[in-house]
Amino acid sequence: MPAYLDYMTTKTKKSPWHCALPLLLVIASVGAYHNSLDGVFLFDDQNSIKDNPYIRSLWPPRFILSAPPDASIVRRPVVSTTLALNYAAGELDAAGYHIVNIAAHVLVTLLLFGAIRWTLADTRVAARYRGAAAGLAGAAARVWTV
């Protein structure tokens, strides 16, 4: 059986931090960025959002995936699509864009936490790190998110 499947099927005693750490990471992420909800567009937002006519309509899709040549979202289709969806939902209300940004940070923080924890608990390195995998993963994800 591959090592990653062995880890997933092996019953291990879970520490109380097993579920608490992801929740604490969500709280840390939201806490770090919640003050942006009252903020305005800054830095590259002028070219990417305010002056970007390509996010003003959801159709045709190829139009959304275009961007002004000086915008930071050139060749970034996921970002362009989320900006177009944000515009469709609230036009130039900065809070909506910031909410999506916070949600993206929370999601990436949890993915990073899971990837590090899983890597450190893998049977190849488990003898050394399995007991500390959640703590080390939580610390690394916390540093990244804030």
Side-chain angles (χ1 to χ4, degrees):
M1 174 180 315
Y4 65 91
L5 289 178
D6 181 47
Y7 168 68
M8 294 173 69
T9 59
T10 303
K11 298 286 184 190
T12 59
K13 183 179 178 185
K14 298 191 185 333
S15 74
W17 291 106
H18 184 77
C19 293
L21 274 174
L23 179 61
L24 291 173
L25 289 170
V26 169
I27 292 168
S29 295
V30 172
Y33 297 107
H34 79 281
N35 61 350
S36 71
L37 296 176
D38 295 330
V40 295
F41 293 121
L42 297 171
F43 306 119
D44 64 343
D45 295 339
Q46 187 70 33
N47 293 336
S48 300
I49 300 169
K50 290 180 85 174
D51 295 338
N52 185 354
Y54 300 101
I55 66 168
R56 304 288 192 261
S57 174
L58 294 173
W59 196 259
R62 66 177 163 72
F63 194 68
I64 296 171
L65 302 178
S66 304
D70 57 341
S72 63
I73 61 170
V74 172
R75 291 182 299 280
R76 295 172 67 192
V78 174
V79 175
S80 296
T81 304
T82 60
L83 291 179
L85 290 170
N86 267 276
Y87 188 85
E91 294 191 357
L92 292 176
D93 178 23
Y97 294 85
H98 293 215
I99 289 169
V100 171
N101 193 19
I102 292 170
H105 273 86
V106 168
L107 177 64
V108 171
T109 298
L110 293 174
L111 289 171
L112 179 64
F113 170 72
I116 294 172
R117 183 178 63 184
W118 189 27
T119 300
L120 293 177
D122 184 79
T123 56
R124 290 170 282 192
V125 292
R128 185 169 185 175
Y129 296 109
R130 183 174 277 170
L136 290 170
R142 170 102 160 100
V143 167
W144 181 88
T145 198
V146 297

